[in-house]
Amino acid sequence: EKKLAVAFRGRKLRSATSYADKNAKEWFAENFSLYHNNKKDLCDPVFIDFLEGIQNDLIWRSWQHIAKKGIIR
């Protein structure tokens, strides 16, 4: 939630709906819906960076876990 709050503060008020500007959680929900309904052109660019950062972090952690278990070398 801390990363979400930082991303929300860093946005450029390019929300697709006025409701998305209400708070960080609504901003996330509105942008997440657009993103996963293949309407990325309507998403706040800050949201896309935020979401892709989370995805990259999860991938990196998964690789670290696999490497520690000796599954791959």
Side-chain angles (χ1 to χ4, degrees):
E1 281 192 50
K2 290 178 185 178
K3 289 182 181 182
L4 177 58
V6 170
F8 180 70
R9 285 193 304 265
R11 73 197 192 290
K12 301 195 184 337
L13 294 175
R14 187 184 172 267
S15 299
T17 66
S18 58
Y19 195 66
D21 293 328
K22 183 177 178 183
N23 60 46
K25 292 177 182 175
E26 297 303 336
W27 175 79
F28 179 87
E30 295 283 322
N31 280 287
F32 187 82
S33 177
L34 291 168
Y35 187 89
H36 283 283
N37 282 299
N38 205 26
K39 296 184 178 182
K40 296 175 187 171
D41 56 313
L42 297 175
C43 286
D44 185 331
V46 173
F47 173 80
I48 294 172
D49 290 344
F50 170 74
L51 188 62
E52 290 175 355
I54 290 172
Q55 291 170 336
N56 291 337
D57 188 42
L58 290 174
I59 291 168
W60 176 248
R61 288 182 189 192
S62 295
W63 276 106
Q64 285 181 321
H65 177 74
I66 290 169
K68 284 181 184 176
K69 294 284 185 180
I71 298 169
I72 60 170
R73 294 173 201 254

